[in-house]
Amino acid sequence: MSDRLYIFDTTLRDGEQVPGCQLNTIEKIQVARQLESLGVDVIEAGFPVSSPGDFSSVVEISKAVTWPVICALTRAVEKDIDCAAEALQYAKRKRIHTGIGTSDSHIRYKFHSNQEEILERAVAAVKYARRYVDDVEFYAEDAGRTDNEYLARVIDAVTKAGATVCNIPDTTGFRLPNEYQEKIAYLYEHVDAFAAGKSILSTHCHNDLGMATANTVAGVLGGARQVEVTVNGIGERAGNTSLEEVTMIFKTHPDLNIETNINTTKIYATSRMVSSLMNMPVQSNKAIVGRNAFAHSSGIHQDGVLKNASTYEIMDPKEVGIDDNAIVLTARSGRAALKHRLHVNGVDIDGEKLDAVYEAFLRLADKKKEVTDDDVLVLAGAHRADTHNVKLEYLQVTTGMGVRSVASIGLLVANEHFEAAATGNGPVDAAIKALKCIIRREMIIKEFTIQAISKGSDDMGKVHMQVEYDNHLYYGFGANTDIVTASVEAYIDCINKFR
Ligand code: KIV
Ligand code: ZN
């Protein structure tokens, strides 16, 4: 008999904390619905006291989602807990996730406190949260670097105060897998509530040293029965444990007797949707969902796979929802086919919005033979530019080898038309210089990445850009079959975010 492992998804909380990955409430609802159809057990929907936007996202996700538990984060502070309880009022199943730092460094430098006082605050927060909800999760921030004996005292006390789940974050991604496994096993052995089935242990691993997934699996082997993960492993710094990796590790290793509720065939679409909405590219060699994850390029491997896929494939790409025969849209596809593809990818639109996306789809299908799921997701996200103050009207660039590139550009700024021209050492340089003749601000490009969406020379290019202005960093995104236009769109996206 397998043990059930609960999947706690924090894409919309820890994942969304990444600069440039912020979503609006409508987008968060889209992701939450997709997570529900994927089969996650818990959705951490936000940190309600942190901003009115986070508060309303937790409210709206609570209304939109039926089956998963909706969880809201707090510090061990009464006003945070009050706020979380209010934000969760519409959730059918709800959880408050409260906690405090327990490592020496957090106790000394963050709280200027001592171990006994922190233990009391932890217990008080859990008791206070239990006044609102039956399901309270406690996190011991920086548990990875917290002394095991003290950690066990805190965890024992909070379980006695009513914590139904105890989260042991390796906040800095420092622990080695065997050390993390020992920590979880130590807590399992020294805190009665776990063996008694009154509480469960949860892993929450960060990827600073590339060990998040290994640590999470080690934690499960040590006795944890909930894992905290994000889609594509997004999250602060090097990110969190990735949902798809953990899920597929237990699926491909049935001997471990751990099962999840994840419908793995929805993994790929979920990954694409999160990447597209959050403007966060997935590295090509990312396990499970990277473009090359199932691409065999060497002759020996190709030969083996053609003879029998099991020679070099440990899982069937179809198991994670990668289907080479998936329907592609063409210029002859109708509105209904487009609407259906969007729906399969978790985007439900109708009426004027569908008309606008369909128009954009036809324009793209004219340039590209086949329009993929990734393309339609980008098109569906393009309406975000509708409310922009600065819009690109036209762009013309002449470029070639041995000549300087020349660009002329037309912009609408607050509905007023401006034009400029400039030369540069390449087409993007010329276009950005022309744009800067109109928008005269001290802006510096800090990061600039171009990625093809799927394959082929007619593909759309996605551009992610980071621009520094007035000591702040702004993140922008653009997508177009013309990468110079996509670059300018990404630059303009940054400008539209200037405060
Ligand atoms: O990494 C961490 O410690 C966290 C907690 C707030 C749960 O995200
Ligand atoms: Zn975290």
Side-chain angles (χ1 to χ4, degrees):
M1 225 306 265
S2 292
D3 263 12
R4 176 77 151 78
L5 179 66
Y6 295 98
I7 303 290
F8 174 116
D9 183 278
T10 184
T11 306
L12 295 173
R13 200 278 299 170
D14 224 349
E16 216 246 352
Q17 270 169 229
V18 179
C21 281
Q22 278 67 38
L23 300 179
N24 63 35
T25 302
I26 294 170
E27 292 161 342
K28 284 188 190 174
I29 290 172
Q30 263 179 46
V31 173
R33 288 202 168 122
Q34 181 71 18
L35 291 172
E36 177 168 33
S37 75
L38 182 65
V40 308
D41 298 285
V42 186
I43 295 177
E44 188 162 49
F47 180 11
V49 85
S50 67
S51 72
D54 249 43
F55 181 90
S56 72
S57 298
V58 175
V59 172
E60 297 308 324
I61 291 170
S62 298
K63 289 181 189 163
V65 162
T66 312
W67 183 79
V69 171
I70 304 300
C71 178
L73 186 79
T74 80
R75 293 166 298 178
V77 171
E78 289 191 357
K79 82 163 178 343
D80 287 28
I81 297 171
D82 294 335
C83 184
E86 194 187 335
L88 287 169
Q89 62 186 300
Y90 300 104
K92 287 96 199 155
R93 299 161 70 207
K94 52 185 101 172
R95 177 183 297 177
I96 292 178
H97 188 190
T98 189
I100 195 160
T102 51
S103 65
D104 286 347
S105 123
H106 279 228
I107 294 176
R108 190 171 314 147
Y109 303 117
K110 224 172 116 176
F111 301 112
H112 308 289
S113 183
N114 58 58
Q115 288 192 336
E116 295 319 308
E117 202 178 277
I118 293 296
L119 191 148
E120 276 168 30
R121 283 170 69 175
V123 168
V126 170
K127 282 190 178 152
Y128 192 73
R130 279 298 302 250
R131 286 164 51 173
Y132 286 113
V133 289
D134 293 334
D135 190 3
V136 173
E137 173 167 340
F138 173 79
Y139 65 86
E141 196 179 5
D142 205 13
R145 293 187 301 167
T146 302
D147 158 65
N148 282 352
E149 205 185 312
Y150 172 63
L151 186 60
R153 276 212 293 132
V154 175
I155 297 299
D156 187 49
V158 296
T159 56
K160 287 182 175 135
T164 42
V165 181
C166 293
N167 174 12
I168 312 300
D170 185 25
T171 307
T172 58
F174 177 71
R175 290 270 69 98
L176 296 171
N178 65 313
E179 295 169 340
Y180 191 69
Q181 179 167 347
E182 279 159 22
K183 189 175 279 288
I184 298 286
Y186 182 92
L187 294 170
Y188 194 92
E189 275 158 30
H190 289 81
V191 177
D192 294 340
F194 302 128
K198 292 192 176 135
S199 187
I200 60 167
L201 280 155
S202 179
T203 65
H204 180 113
C205 299
H206 280 267
N207 203 31
D208 300 65
L209 291 169
M211 295 190 291
T213 298
N215 281 349
T216 298
V217 172
V220 174
L221 300 181
R225 285 297 173 266
Q226 177 181 279
V227 289
E228 307 198 0
V229 293
T230 61
V231 175
N232 300 335
I234 62 158
E236 283 204 88
R237 310 184 307 278
N240 290 57
T241 306
S242 100
L243 181 151
E244 56 279 6
E245 290 172 15
V246 174
T247 307
M248 291 314 290
I249 285 170
F250 289 112
K251 187 156 186 190
T252 51
H253 289 269
D255 47 308
L256 296 176
N257 286 325
I258 294 287
E259 65 180 24
T260 70
N261 185 53
I262 298 296
N263 175 352
T264 61
T265 61
K266 301 221 164 169
I267 283 180
Y268 192 65
T270 311
S271 158
R272 296 279 112 193
M273 178 199 234
V274 167
S275 160
S276 152
L277 286 175
M278 290 196 163
N279 295 332
M280 190 61 149
V282 175
Q283 74 193 52
S284 333
N285 58 340
K286 164 86 180 62
I288 319 291
V289 290
R291 178 170 313 150
N292 296 344
F294 294 94
H296 303 279
S297 50
S298 85
I300 295 175
H301 285 208
Q302 284 177 347
D303 182 54
V305 168
L306 288 174
K307 286 179 176 143
N308 187 319
S310 71
T311 49
Y312 288 98
E313 273 182 11
I314 55 165
M315 55 198 150
D316 183 342
K318 290 196 177 71
E319 276 184 80
V320 297
I322 299 176
D323 185 355
D324 279 348
N325 303 319
I327 297 165
V328 283
L329 301 170
T330 67
R332 284 173 304 285
S333 305
R335 235 184 220 73
L338 175 68
K339 189 171 156 79
H340 174 71
R341 279 325 296 165
L342 285 166
H343 172 75
V344 168
N345 285 284
V347 181
D348 287 305
I349 50 171
D350 258 315
E352 280 179 17
K353 208 174 257 173
L354 179 63
D355 290 345
V357 176
Y358 187 63
E359 288 303 311
F361 158 75
L362 288 179
R363 281 196 298 275
L364 179 65
D366 261 356
K367 296 188 207 155
K368 247 189 121 194
K369 237 178 24 223
E370 292 175 343
V371 179
T372 63
D373 283 354
D374 286 328
D375 295 327
V376 293
L377 280 172
V378 167
L379 295 178
H383 69 269
R384 281 179 274 176
D386 290 354
T387 53
H388 281 176
N389 196 36
V390 181
K391 288 184 186 154
L392 180 63
E393 270 207 310
Y394 70 83
L395 175 68
Q396 190 182 33
V397 185
T398 332
T399 190
M401 213 187 78
V403 289
R404 262 181 91 69
S405 303
V406 186
S408 57
I409 195 168
L411 293 185
L412 268 186
V413 182
N415 287 327
E416 206 181 321
H417 176 72
F418 293 87
E419 297 184 318
T423 62
N425 67 8
V428 176
D429 188 43
I432 300 280
K433 282 191 172 134
L435 181 147
K436 281 179 155 179
C437 296
I438 304 172
I439 314 276
R440 293 175 177 277
R441 308 226 194 155
E442 286 298 316
M443 311 176 270
I444 305 166
I445 296 180
K446 290 293 201 185
E447 204 180 290
F448 178 21
T449 57
I450 304 180
Q451 201 185 38
I453 288 185
S454 40
K455 42 197 162 197
S457 56
D458 63 349
D459 195 10
M460 284 231 264
K462 288 201 279 192
V463 174
H464 295 264
M465 207 177 268
Q466 203 184 75
V467 168
E468 189 181 85
Y469 167 64
D470 199 18
N471 289 326
H472 286 99
L473 283 178
Y474 296 90
Y475 296 80
F477 174 73
N480 202 293
T481 47
D482 178 298
I483 54 170
V484 183
T485 306
S487 307
V488 173
E489 280 172 355
Y491 200 87
I492 292 176
D493 195 28
C494 293
I495 292 172
N496 278 299
K497 293 175 182 161
F498 288 178
R499 290 186 271 226

